[in-house]
Amino acid sequence: MNFRPCIDIHNGKVKQIVGGSLFDEGNRAKENFVSKQTAAFFAGLYRDKGLKGGHIILLNPASSEFYEETKKQALLALKEYPGGLMAGGGITPDNAVEYLNAGASHVIVTSYVFKDGKLHYERLKEMVKTVSKKHLVLDLSCRKKNDVYYIVTDRWQKYTTVALNKESIAELSSYCDEFLVHAVDVEGKSQGIEEEVAALLGRECRIPVTYAGGVHSFADLEKVKKLGNNRVDVTIGSSLDLFGGDMNFEEVLKFMEDQ
């Protein structure tokens, strides 16, 4: 299990928000933390600590008045740490190469592939053709409905018809280099992980995967390690002291080194 750092950017600022509270209309989100530091600052910190495979997420859609400022922050972060971070949020074949050229190791894609609630294989294949499998991460962030976890899109606002399960994980593994999975119902709440999701990833994923959502203690990290069979990487957002939380960044790194 490795620690994967994150940089979430909304309205041109590095933030931590409550998952599922993000709305395009009015650029609204329930905020846990708004940093005074730039995205490039955090990228430099992660670089200096030797942390790789973290993700930058642009939380504004391209239609937002804040999109260009959010994008500017993302590109400056990639410039600060070329090859060390992934970029996601509104990625399409038209702009993916720009992020790779700017320094992203991978691009992270959900909504372009899962459009209108359905998985479009022609779009998925187009993304693979554009950036290659080795530079593509599929974001399979999910929410529970009727006891089933479904992949959600459009800043986690829309449910798809695609369940996150053994079959979908196996099928999609052949198209990408990694998965990123936010357990949206606990994301940003710092109240504990979605154990079913972590266990599913540990049981079924055969490619690298990062779990995000609800981690608020070292006991939670132990749970992710155990449920994920020590093969599921983890990210921490609102609970990290870098973002106003109680978990000390240096102690988290020490915990990971001791694994």
Side-chain angles (χ1 to χ4, degrees):
M1 180 172 73
N2 297 304
F3 175 65
R4 303 287 196 103
C6 64
I7 304 173
D8 295 345
I9 310 171
H10 182 244
N11 294 356
K13 298 182 181 297
V14 175
K15 294 183 181 181
Q16 286 294 313
I17 67 168
V18 175
S21 73
L22 185 61
F23 294 95
D24 292 345
E25 184 179 351
N27 302 292
R28 293 178 292 122
K30 185 176 180 181
E31 299 170 346
N32 285 328
F33 178 82
V34 181
S35 178
K36 295 180 180 179
Q37 302 288 355
T38 64
F41 167 85
F42 289 100
L45 175 63
Y46 301 153
R47 178 200 62 219
D48 293 346
K49 294 296 183 181
L51 298 172
K52 293 186 176 182
H55 52 275
I56 300 171
I57 303 296
L58 291 76
L59 294 174
N60 291 104
S63 58
S64 168
E65 63 193 279
F66 295 101
Y67 177 75
E68 289 302 325
E69 183 58 33
T70 291
K71 180 179 177 181
K72 178 182 177 181
Q73 285 284 319
L75 293 176
L76 288 172
L78 293 173
K79 182 179 179 181
E80 189 71 23
Y81 190 10
L85 296 164
M86 308 170 178
I91 300 295
T92 71
D94 292 332
N95 64 14
V97 175
E98 178 183 4
Y99 288 99
L100 294 177
N101 289 341
S105 65
H106 299 69
V107 288
I108 306 167
V109 178
T110 309
S111 298
Y112 181 78
V113 170
F114 296 92
K115 185 173 175 59
D116 299 324
K118 298 179 181 179
L119 171 57
H120 293 262
Y121 279 99
E122 70 279 6
R123 285 176 165 246
L124 178 56
K125 292 174 181 176
E126 186 180 7
M127 282 302 314
V128 174
K129 182 179 179 180
T130 301
V131 302
S132 81
K133 175 183 175 181
K134 68 178 181 179
H135 293 300
L136 180 61
V137 174
L138 288 179
D139 184 336
L140 306 184
S141 295
C142 60
R143 303 184 78 170
K144 201 172 193 178
K145 182 170 68 173
N146 299 326
D147 293 323
V148 176
Y149 286 100
Y150 289 96
I151 297 169
V152 290
T153 68
D154 299 282
R155 287 153 298 284
W156 306 331
Q157 297 172 36
K158 298 179 182 178
Y159 283 89
T160 71
T161 59
V162 183
L164 183 65
N165 55 30
K166 177 179 180 179
E167 291 74 23
S168 61
I169 289 172
E171 171 68 13
L172 293 170
S173 294
S174 63
Y175 290 94
C176 64
D177 196 45
E178 296 191 17
F179 292 131
L180 171 64
V181 181
H182 292 81
V184 177
D185 289 328
V186 297
E187 173 70 22
K189 296 182 179 179
S190 298
Q191 296 175 352
I193 69 167
E194 192 82 80
E195 295 187 15
E196 291 179 69
V197 175
L200 173 65
L201 301 180
R203 188 171 62 248
E204 304 298 344
C205 286
R206 298 295 178 265
I207 63 174
V209 57
T210 299
Y211 169 88
V215 174
H216 80 306
S217 68
F218 288 92
D220 283 333
L221 290 180
E222 291 283 5
K223 287 181 181 179
V224 175
K225 178 184 177 182
K226 180 179 179 181
L227 294 169
N229 295 316
N230 205 26
R231 294 191 291 109
V232 176
D233 291 343
V234 65
T235 191
I236 306 171
S238 299
S239 294
L240 205 62
D241 62 353
L242 296 179
F243 305 118
D246 296 326
M247 294 183 72
N248 181 268
F249 178 59
E250 297 291 346
E251 290 180 8
V252 169
L253 299 187
K254 180 65 166 54
F255 177 92
M256 293 297 175
E257 288 175 3
D258 292 341
Q259 299 307 299

